[in-house]
Amino acid sequence: MKNSMNQPFGKLNADDLQSIQYVMREFCSTHDAHTIYAFLWDMLKESLCSAGANHWDERRRADYIFAYETLLQLIGASYALVDHWSKPPN
């Protein structure tokens, strides 16, 4: 995969796509969604409640919450894709 300024992750070839699918399948088969959501929630709580976070401004706190919500969507999409891939084609 060759990276460039216009495509920072490079152009994905068939082998790259297979690798991505493998990683997603392994992740979803190793961790159930409920457990991952709980881990993420715990990480967010620990981040926002840490001593260092006492000095964060509202923007930084909001960024952490936004990242948490976006990761929840990404994880949900990953499980949906893996489920879709496991179904036989019609």
Side-chain angles (χ1 to χ4, degrees):
M1 184 167 33
K2 186 177 177 188
N3 297 346
S4 72
M5 291 298 286
N6 294 332
Q7 292 181 308
F9 300 107
K11 186 174 182 179
L12 298 176
N13 63 35
D15 290 337
D16 296 328
L17 291 173
Q18 290 299 317
S19 296
I20 291 167
Q21 287 184 12
Y22 173 78
V23 169
M24 290 175 69
R25 287 177 198 268
E26 283 296 305
F27 177 83
C28 292
S29 68
T30 307
H31 305 88
D32 66 273
H34 178 75
T35 301
I36 294 303
Y37 293 147
F39 285 159
L40 276 177
W41 176 246
D42 288 343
M43 288 191 305
L44 178 65
K45 283 192 313 187
E46 292 297 321
S47 296
L48 294 177
C49 296
S50 69
N54 290 335
H55 306 289
W56 293 355
D57 63 9
E58 296 82 15
R59 174 68 179 205
R60 186 163 181 192
R61 289 177 182 274
D63 287 345
Y64 270 71
I65 293 168
F66 177 75
Y68 165 77
E69 291 172 345
T70 306
L71 284 169
L72 289 179
Q73 292 174 348
L74 180 62
I75 290 167
S78 296
Y79 280 95
L81 273 173
V82 168
D83 184 55
H84 173 73
W85 293 331
S86 67
K87 293 179 181 171
N90 291 337

